[in-house]
Amino acid sequence: YTHERQPFATFGFLSLRRRWKLIGACTLVSAAAGMLVVALKPTSYTASTQLLIYVKEALPGPDPVISIGRADLTQVENESEIVRSRGMSAKVVRALNLIDDPEFSPATTPLWGIAQSLFGEPRATLDESRSAQETAVENLAKRVTVRRVGTSHTILINVTTSDPEKSARFANGISQIMVQGRIGAQDGDKSPLLRERLRGLGPSSYVVTPALVPERPNGPRKILVILAAVAAGSIV
């Protein structure tokens, strides 16, 4: 009788009671790992703004009449690529002065400065400014995502930074640059009357939803991460 109950005692509830120290150790280690991940993971906030893409066309006639029409899918994709482009990122960097923001243009570490002074020539001030701008442009491009909303003619711009107000300000800055980018973009060789008639023609953007300050950071809550780690450790 004892021999028949031995498999159940080995793999059943009695086995769990016999190994409570191992279970407790796995749970504590998993909980510590979850708290470590929560402590080391940087907090980020994402702000979103929506732009409606449409087209302004000049109707033929004795007097110039501008009509607003719908943009096709190709034009919507083109506007999305413009937002993702390096030129647009450079405009945002200059407009928002991101070169002075440590998150987008981190300062040179003392160790790098010593190594550069020992093994390389000091860079000129112009080269340093250019390098800082390129770094800010690259970091901004990593924090901006653009996608089309369903099958509509609306694009969604997401900006992710470490500060909620900064994310909203940068998202609204990008949308304003998109809206105002058409103004004054005509060729300077054209006459003032022709520039006035052609101003604003072609694809244009309209801010449907301005970016608001996000209230919660990205990702799951910290307590949920810790509880998931505890549950995983208990199961293991």
Side-chain angles (χ1 to χ4, degrees):
Y1 180 77
T2 305
H3 180 70
E4 294 178 357
R5 294 292 301 273
Q6 185 175 2
F8 296 96
T10 303
F11 298 101
F13 179 73
L14 295 179
S15 175
L16 298 180
R17 293 182 57 186
R18 194 176 299 114
R19 295 172 173 83
W20 66 270
K21 293 183 180 180
L22 178 62
I23 297 174
C26 290
T27 304
L28 291 178
V29 170
S30 300
M35 289 186 289
L36 183 62
V37 169
V38 168
L40 296 180
K41 182 181 179 181
T43 304
S44 60
Y45 298 84
T46 300
S48 303
T49 180
Q50 289 186 354
L51 296 180
L52 175 65
I53 308 301
Y54 61 95
V55 177
K56 289 183 178 180
E57 301 175 345
L59 299 180
D63 297 327
V65 178
I66 297 178
S67 174
I68 297 178
R70 298 183 60 184
D72 56 24
L73 301 183
T74 303
Q75 292 169 334
V76 175
E77 292 297 330
N78 290 340
E79 295 298 312
S80 300
E81 292 300 326
I82 290 176
V83 178
R84 299 189 189 99
S85 66
R86 196 176 187 85
M88 175 60 66
S89 299
K91 290 182 180 179
V92 175
V93 167
R94 291 191 297 268
L96 301 178
N97 198 20
L98 299 187
I99 297 180
D100 297 333
D101 192 327
E103 184 176 358
F104 293 88
S105 182
T108 305
T109 59
L111 182 60
W112 173 255
I114 294 175
Q116 188 178 10
S117 62
L118 292 177
F119 302 102
E121 297 180 358
R123 294 177 300 180
T125 304
L126 181 60
D127 294 337
E128 292 179 355
S129 177
R130 185 178 306 170
S131 177
Q133 182 175 355
E134 291 296 327
T135 302
V137 169
E138 294 177 359
N139 290 332
L140 178 63
K142 296 177 182 178
R143 289 168 169 80
V144 176
T145 59
V146 184
R147 66 178 180 86
R148 181 185 170 199
V149 181
T151 58
S152 65
H153 293 179
T154 305
I155 60 177
L156 180 67
I157 303 176
N158 298 322
V159 180
T160 302
T161 67
S162 60
D163 183 78
E165 295 183 358
K166 185 191 298 184
S167 298
R169 181 163 57 90
F170 289 177
N172 289 324
I174 293 176
S175 63
Q176 291 300 322
I177 292 176
M178 283 291 297
V179 172
Q180 299 175 1
R182 304 296 176 182
I183 301 177
Q186 309 301 330
D187 191 357
D189 294 337
K190 297 182 175 67
S191 64
L193 179 59
L194 185 57
R195 287 201 306 268
E196 185 67 24
R197 290 182 176 181
L198 295 180
R199 177 174 297 177
L201 295 182
S204 300
S205 305
Y206 173 76
V207 180
V208 178
T209 305
L212 302 178
V213 178
E215 299 180 355
R216 292 180 51 187
N218 300 334
R221 295 182 178 180
K222 297 181 180 180
I223 186 63
L224 295 180
V225 175
I226 298 176
L227 291 178
V230 171
S234 301
I235 294 174
V236 171

